[in-house]
Amino acid sequence: MLELISFLLHGIQPLLIPICFITAWTVTILVVLSLWTAARDSVTTAKQMHQIPCTGCQFFTDNYRLKCTVRPSIANTEEAIDCLDYQPKTNPYLY
């Protein structure tokens, strides 16, 4: 049994360096592609979230219990991007 294992190891040994080289570079490329995809998706999501106008609306209360007095269910969500009740703040000193 040990002779068979020894024979297999000596037969595979010339192929181990190229196999390990290809495997290491494949794993490195996959990690880089994964990080690139995550960064791209994060930027896309951030751009979409920055389109939400709630903080500049006069009906936005900035209170976690009641974020919006007109449409509290969609306040600070993607549904609020085209809110029909949006009114810009008239007093710039109010936050």
Side-chain angles (χ1 to χ4, degrees):
M1 184 67 155
L2 290 175
E3 292 177 10
L4 178 64
I5 293 174
S6 175
F7 177 73
L8 288 175
L9 286 177
H10 288 295
I12 294 175
Q13 192 172 11
L15 299 175
L16 284 179
I17 292 175
I19 289 173
C20 290
F21 179 79
I22 291 172
T23 303
W25 275 106
T26 303
V27 168
T28 303
I29 290 170
L30 288 175
V31 166
V32 168
L33 286 176
S34 176
L35 290 173
W36 174 256
T37 304
R40 186 189 63 210
D41 292 345
S42 297
V43 168
T44 303
T45 302
K47 284 182 181 179
Q48 185 174 8
M49 290 305 192
H50 282 286
Q51 293 177 352
I52 298 173
C54 290
T55 56
C57 182
Q58 71 179 5
F59 301 117
F60 186 71
T61 62
D62 202 22
N63 184 340
Y64 72 93
R65 288 184 221 117
L66 180 65
K67 295 177 184 173
C68 177
T69 57
V70 179
R71 294 181 184 258
S73 61
I74 67 167
N76 284 340
T77 63
E78 294 174 10
E79 296 176 37
I81 291 176
D82 295 323
C83 183
L84 298 175
D85 296 319
Y86 173 76
Q87 294 291 324
K89 288 183 180 179
T90 54
N91 188 352
Y93 299 108
L94 290 177
Y95 40 83

